[in-house]
Amino acid sequence: MEGKLYDAAVQGNKILLLDLLKEDALLLDRFITGRYPETPLHVASMLGHLEFVDEVLARKPELAKELDSHKSSPLHLASAKGYLQVAKSLLHVNPDMCLVCDIDGRNPLHIAAMKGHLGLLKELVHTRPWAARALMDHGETILHACLRCNQLEVLKLLVGRDSDPEFVNYKNQDGNTILHLAIAAKQTEAINFLISSTPIDVNCVNEDGYTALDLLSQNQRDATDKRIVDSLGRMGVTHARDNPLSNSQLKAMRTKILLSPWDQSNVISKPKKRKHGKRLIISNKNGDWLERKRNTLMLVASLLAAMAFQAGVNPPSGVWQDNGSSGFSSTESNGKNHTAGFSVLADNYPDVYTVFLISNTTSFLASLSIILLLISGLPLRRRFFIWVLMVIMWVAITAMVSAYLACIIALTPDQSNSSLISILVIATRIWVCLMLILLLGVGHTIRLIIRLVKCLHKLVVRLVKPKSPRPRV
């Protein structure tokens, strides 16, 4: 019966599958409880038989997480062949299979990227975006795999979705970034893309102490080397050492970088000590900066919103408990009558209450705006959007400080604690100045300004640079 089921999977024969299940209703269960090199779902996924796959998944969705003798799931095989609809069916049943690695330490996203299946890769990244951050064996990222397999379009897609400098500049076990790999392989288009459109560190050195420019020959270089050197020179790339590499050193270094890690293990007699876990995720090493910021902003915004709401419905000094004369001796009140439920502070200090109300409302609305943006599902995973949220948070905190100051001024008698109020005012001003320095002085704003200047510079250069005349036919 198992042999007939395998034949049905090879043919994609759904009718034969149903006939076999009528004869033996537990036929598919045996592939879950038994030991088989592969299941019929593996075969059908590898051959792209969508109807057969859907029928098997409808009856036994547990088969989607079964692994073959190479620890490959059906999603691995569908990703390798580029069957998008089959992959969608498998993802619908068990999307966490994006995180499962085969015997070579590759998950389905790695395989789809290495094969250049853009549409399938988009679906996988959309389903489990953090799977793209998983490391393969020997500490290489999915970006390293793209460079090794010369998949420039896939590289552009992945960097466009996640341009975190930590991700782009990640080093493998030899300390080589994707720029080292691109230059060692002389992939000119990839080099130009990396140095012009990504936050790649062009002067990063590997474990041997060589920058990307050191990998290029200084003597007898060909036209490709000259173009690469010119591109790197415009970006301010320098040598790691004063003396350039010799031709023999250059050849040995390029061979070392271009060899896959599995080939290196056969060539090198004494393997290096591994520095990375087999399935380490980058975000777990130094922490996902963006995710931490999102969680922190959500927590602080929720706290500020609760504080502002509580202060709004229960204003300082409370509310009048009955109707009658205020009995306040100040000339500002002029003996006005008060109404039960109205704010005491609004009657006694209308100007201060106005400042308090404006500041408290501003803090409340700013906090709600942060919460709404974070739970809206918008793609706020870029540093620019996080920077905008941090500015809004700064506004909310500053407004809350202003509301606090207004309350302290209104609740403290001037004749007894005027010096204390002056100290509070000075301390508050110093704190606001410190917030301005932090906001304008940290690297977020500086990097934003630098990027804007670079974009404007490139735009001006493109507009000013004369177009070369077209050759006549």
Side-chain angles (χ1 to χ4, degrees):
M1 294 292 291
E2 287 84 353
K4 293 181 179 180
L5 185 55
Y6 276 117
D7 293 338
V10 171
Q11 301 172 13
N13 194 332
K14 177 180 175 181
I15 298 177
L16 180 56
L17 169 64
L18 297 177
D19 293 338
L20 293 174
L21 291 177
K22 289 180 181 179
E23 297 180 21
D24 186 355
L26 301 178
L27 183 58
L28 293 176
D29 293 273
R30 293 193 179 92
F31 290 94
I32 300 176
T33 58
R35 297 179 61 87
Y36 295 89
E38 59 184 1
T39 68
L41 186 59
H42 283 89
V43 177
S45 300
M46 181 174 58
L47 298 177
H49 298 315
L50 179 60
E51 293 184 358
F52 191 94
V53 170
D54 289 338
E55 188 64 33
V56 173
L57 292 176
R59 295 176 177 273
K60 288 298 172 185
E62 299 89 347
L63 286 173
K65 62 181 181 181
E66 291 295 317
L67 305 180
D68 61 9
S69 57
H70 297 284
K71 294 186 178 181
S72 296
S73 66
L75 185 58
H76 281 87
L77 303 180
S79 300
K81 299 296 287 290
Y83 295 129
L84 177 58
Q85 298 303 324
V86 174
K88 285 184 177 180
S89 298
L90 294 169
L91 290 173
H92 179 73
V93 172
N94 194 340
D96 288 333
M97 295 308 294
C98 292
L99 304 171
V100 176
C101 295
D102 59 11
I103 196 172
D104 295 321
R106 304 168 183 171
N107 63 30
L109 278 77
H110 296 143
I111 295 177
M114 296 169 67
K115 294 294 183 178
H117 302 310
L118 282 175
L120 178 56
L121 182 61
K122 290 179 181 179
E123 184 68 25
L124 295 173
V125 173
H126 177 74
T127 303
R128 287 292 183 268
W130 54 88
R133 288 288 191 107
L135 295 181
M136 298 183 294
D137 279 356
H138 307 278
E140 292 201 335
T141 68
I142 192 173
L143 301 182
H144 288 86
C146 293
L147 263 301
R148 291 194 181 278
C149 298
N150 197 18
Q151 298 292 348
L152 179 57
E153 295 301 322
V154 177
L155 178 69
K156 291 180 179 180
L157 170 66
L158 294 171
V159 174
R161 296 184 66 94
D162 189 355
S163 59
D164 183 9
E166 180 186 357
F167 181 45
V168 176
N169 290 289
Y170 199 81
K171 299 179 181 180
N172 62 9
Q173 66 177 8
D174 294 321
N176 293 311
T177 65
I178 55 177
L179 184 60
H180 286 91
L181 268 64
I183 289 181
K186 294 186 179 182
Q187 299 180 17
T188 308
E189 293 184 8
I191 295 171
N192 292 331
F193 169 72
L194 291 174
I195 64 178
S196 62
S197 303
T198 66
I200 192 74
D201 184 4
V202 293
N203 290 316
C204 182
V205 297
N206 58 14
E207 286 194 350
D208 296 317
Y210 297 129
T211 65
L213 189 58
D214 290 326
L215 301 180
L216 295 174
S217 173
Q218 300 299 309
N219 300 313
Q220 299 179 357
R221 56 177 180 256
D222 55 19
T224 303
D225 286 333
K226 292 181 179 180
R227 289 195 298 269
I228 297 175
V229 169
D230 292 339
S231 299
L232 295 177
R234 287 194 295 269
M235 299 301 297
V237 186
T238 60
H239 289 282
R241 301 176 180 177
D242 295 332
N243 297 325
L245 290 176
S246 64
N247 289 336
S248 59
Q249 289 175 316
L250 171 68
K251 184 177 180 180
M253 179 58 60
R254 282 181 174 169
T255 303
K256 177 182 177 181
I257 294 177
L258 288 176
L259 279 176
S260 65
W262 301 276
D263 293 334
Q264 290 184 26
S265 62
N266 297 328
V267 175
I268 302 176
S269 58
K270 185 178 180 180
K272 295 183 179 180
K273 184 179 179 180
R274 292 183 57 175
K275 295 185 178 181
H276 305 280
K278 185 175 182 180
R279 294 177 180 87
L280 176 67
I281 296 181
I282 298 176
S283 59
N284 290 337
K285 180 184 177 182
N286 297 319
D288 192 337
W289 184 88
L290 295 178
E291 192 64 28
R292 294 200 309 270
K293 287 295 181 183
R294 288 168 60 94
N295 295 336
T296 303
L297 288 172
M298 175 64 76
L299 178 62
V300 177
S302 301
L303 180 61
L304 287 177
M307 293 171 57
F309 177 82
Q310 187 66 22
V313 297
N314 294 307
S317 299
V319 296
W320 296 110
Q321 301 299 319
D322 56 0
N323 298 325
S325 176
S326 62
F328 188 62
S329 60
S330 175
T331 57
E332 295 180 0
S333 63
N334 295 324
K336 292 182 180 179
N337 295 332
H338 60 255
T339 305
F342 281 20
S343 173
V344 176
L345 183 63
D347 288 338
N348 294 339
Y349 295 96
D351 295 336
V352 175
Y353 180 77
T354 301
V355 174
F356 163 76
L357 187 61
I358 293 175
S359 302
N360 189 71
T361 304
T362 301
S363 177
F364 182 66
L365 294 179
S367 303
L368 290 183
S369 299
I370 295 174
I371 297 174
L372 180 62
L373 289 173
L374 290 176
I375 66 176
S376 62
L378 296 175
L380 303 177
R381 294 192 60 84
R382 292 184 179 274
R383 288 178 178 262
F384 173 76
F385 297 111
I386 299 298
W387 181 85
V388 172
L389 293 178
M390 291 177 65
V391 172
I392 300 176
M393 177 60 69
W394 178 84
V395 173
I397 295 176
T398 304
M400 183 61 68
V401 171
S402 300
Y404 169 80
L405 182 60
C407 295
I408 293 298
I409 293 176
L411 299 178
T412 304
D414 294 337
Q415 64 273 15
S416 59
N417 290 330
S418 57
S419 59
L420 177 60
I421 295 177
S422 300
I423 294 175
L424 289 175
V425 172
I426 295 174
T428 304
R429 290 177 179 176
I430 294 175
W431 183 84
V432 171
C433 293
L434 178 62
M435 290 293 294
L436 287 173
I437 293 174
L438 290 176
L439 183 65
L440 299 177
V442 294
H444 306 299
T445 304
I446 295 176
R447 284 195 293 266
L448 178 62
I449 295 175
I450 292 176
R451 289 185 180 181
L452 291 176
V453 172
K454 287 183 178 180
C455 292
L456 291 176
H457 176 70
K458 291 180 181 179
L459 181 61
V460 171
V461 169
R462 290 178 181 177
L463 294 176
V464 175
K465 185 178 180 180
K467 297 181 179 180
S468 57
R470 295 181 178 179
R472 296 182 179 179
V473 180

